[in-house]
Amino acid sequence: MLTGLLVAAVALSAPSRVTAASGPSPAVKHLAQAIQFQTVSFQERSQIDYAQFRAFQQFLAETYPRTFSALQVATVADYSLLLTWPGRQPELKPVLLDAHYDVVPIEPGTEQEWTQPPFAGAISDGYLWGRGALDDKASVIATLEAVETLVGEGFQPERTLLFSFAHDEEIGGTEGAANIVRHLQDKGIELQYMIAEGGLIVEGNPLLPGRAMAMIGLAEKTYVTLTLRAKGAGGHSSMPVQDNAIVRLSRALTRLHENPFAAQLKPPVSDMLKIVGAELGGLKGFVLQNQWLTRPLLLATMAKDSMTNSMIRTTTAVTMFDAGIKENVISQQAEAKVNFRLMPGFSPQQLLDAVTELVDDENIEIESQQWKPGPPVADIEGEGYQRVKSAINESYPQALVVPGLLTATTDSAHYVEVAPQIYRFHPFSLPVTDTKTIHSTDERISLEAVERSVRISRALIEAAAQR
């Protein structure tokens, strides 16, 4: 029942109004060009073609000349950009709008499965196709299209606005976002709030028929991977040993898999359900609003679906297992990686303690990196939320604005020290059927969604620019 409500990447499926006669809009053309730059972030950084990143920067400067002339442009860590639009009242704390232009690789062997080549930026069947069409070049282009127009109209913000376009978000942001934050700290800048990537506009939700939902992410889950290792006696397979490293590690992984963390209904998910319940009315509305009574029912229902389940608990996923060198040799060691997505307020150290207790085997080594804690839940009553909400109401008044929890991870964690409030909202939308294309085959965005994203971006900028 609740799947449609809580999917963080859902949106508008109306056919595009762009016709062959009128041709694609400038925003569509520019996004198509942007996709053609293969700004791919590989986990192994030696594989990254940074010439593509430099070319993309040059493309932005040439495509948006008024913006790059009127705003202060700083290149950070060679490939990330930070644009500053000074406000009339410099004593006001600035607002940062964040996006990134790096993309994930195409999985080897899947290239031929794409309807259109992944880096062609093809326009076909009312869509713009290619890697980055959604994550996250659409946000970069929509933002710059809006700024370019506003500069041309002589618009001047009251409050200083910052625009960050990072180059390594897909591999942790340790060079881009982290250094942008250091740059801000060196200048003594503290933000009023920031708008990061995250929530989307939601339409076609079976729980809210006929009404769109705009989800503003107040929080995101923290990404943590633990490495578990076991050692054993080893030997020839003809003489099995009791102390088998693979078996020992498998038992530990099974305990983690079969003992999920407790489900909990808390903000911002509980707030989202209440707002939707008020809109729905009737029995469903009663169930969503009166959580003091219906909490067990809600948790049980949400736990049945992987998407909604991720909204109510810290999740555990065994993702990698490495052991053995030959089929007739008992391995002396085994290693596995387990990925966790932590609920807001649950720290990496608390996770490590809980996993150690659950595994309950002193012969299992558990290795943890220095993971940063996730940002706190942003204030739904805060100025930033109200500004983003008003911008959505202005540019897309038929949408119901709701808070949300992003189950993925963004660059937001890097900004905690300079941004007391972080709100996550993408200025675009996508059909339900296209959510699976993010980071996958046939990533695409409708042409109408591209045009709408520029209008929404403009409204977000104008709202943030106010005193």
Side-chain angles (χ1 to χ4, degrees), residues 104-404:
V104 297
I106 307 301
E107 184 176 349
T110 68
E111 294 87 351
Q112 300 306 312
E113 298 176 13
W114 283 71
T115 302
Q116 300 289 343
F119 291 103
I123 300 171
S124 177
D125 299 325
Y127 282 90
L128 173 55
W129 305 71
R131 178 65 82 229
L134 295 172
D135 188 12
D136 184 34
K137 285 180 177 175
S139 293
V140 174
I141 297 303
T143 299
L144 288 172
E145 289 286 327
V147 173
E148 185 79 358
T149 299
L150 287 167
V151 171
E153 295 174 357
F155 178 81
Q156 180 64 43
E158 295 299 315
R159 183 188 302 273
T160 295
L161 300 178
L162 306 175
F163 303 91
S164 56
F165 305 116
H167 75 279
D168 66 338
E169 189 274 345
E170 297 292 1
I171 49 177
T174 55
E175 293 182 0
N179 281 298
I180 289 173
V181 170
R182 294 189 187 99
H183 178 87
L184 296 176
Q185 290 175 319
D186 289 344
K187 292 184 172 296
I189 295 174
E190 181 180 344
L191 304 173
Q192 184 73 5
Y193 61 90
M194 72 174 286
I195 303 174
E197 65 168 326
L200 293 167
I201 296 177
V202 180
E203 189 173 271
N205 191 318
L207 190 61
L208 194 63
R211 183 79 191 270
M213 290 199 306
M215 305 179 73
I216 303 173
L218 300 188
E220 65 182 52
K221 299 179 82 172
T222 302
Y223 179 111
V224 174
T225 295
L226 300 181
T227 301
L228 278 65
R229 297 189 183 91
K231 294 184 178 180
H236 198 284
S237 64
S238 63
M239 297 179 286
V241 297
Q242 291 298 314
D243 186 20
N244 186 305
I246 294 177
V247 173
R248 178 183 294 276
L249 183 57
S250 296
R251 287 173 179 157
L253 297 175
T254 299
R255 284 195 289 272
L256 292 177
H257 177 75
E258 294 182 346
N259 292 275
F261 288 89
Q264 49 189 311
L265 191 58
K266 52 191 278 189
V269 176
S270 57
D271 291 333
M272 177 177 65
L273 297 182
K274 289 177 182 177
I275 293 172
V276 173
E279 177 71 14
L280 281 174
L283 179 58
K284 286 185 178 180
F286 178 86
V287 171
L288 295 178
Q289 285 187 282
N290 293 276
Q291 296 169 15
W292 62 273
L293 176 64
T294 62
R295 185 179 302 266
L297 173 62
L298 287 171
L299 289 175
T301 302
M302 295 168 73
K304 293 178 181 179
D305 184 273
S306 61
M307 291 182 180
T308 54
N309 181 60
S310 66
M311 292 286 183
I312 59 172
R313 72 174 83 242
T314 291
T315 55
T316 305
V318 179
T319 56
M320 299 179 71
F321 196 104
D322 183 21
I325 57 172
K326 198 171 184 294
E327 65 186 66
N328 64 346
V329 176
I330 299 172
S331 180
Q332 293 177 268
Q333 54 189 2
E335 178 180 298
K337 292 188 181 295
V338 187
N339 183 249
F340 300 85
R341 301 300 174 102
L342 279 55
M343 289 288 283
F346 192 52
S347 72
Q349 184 58 52
Q350 287 175 301
L351 170 72
L352 183 59
D353 293 342
V355 169
T356 301
E357 181 178 358
L358 184 57
V359 168
D360 192 25
D361 188 340
E362 61 183 13
N363 292 313
I364 297 288
E365 176 189 348
I366 304 175
E367 179 183 301
S368 173
Q369 298 182 20
Q370 287 296 108
W371 300 96
K372 297 186 68 173
V377 179
D379 184 5
I380 194 173
E381 302 295 335
E383 176 185 328
Y385 186 87
Q386 301 307 318
R387 293 285 175 91
V388 176
K389 180 180 178 180
S390 69
I392 297 170
N393 288 337
E394 175 188 337
S395 57
Y396 198 35
Q398 60 268 48
L400 175 69
V401 179
V402 299

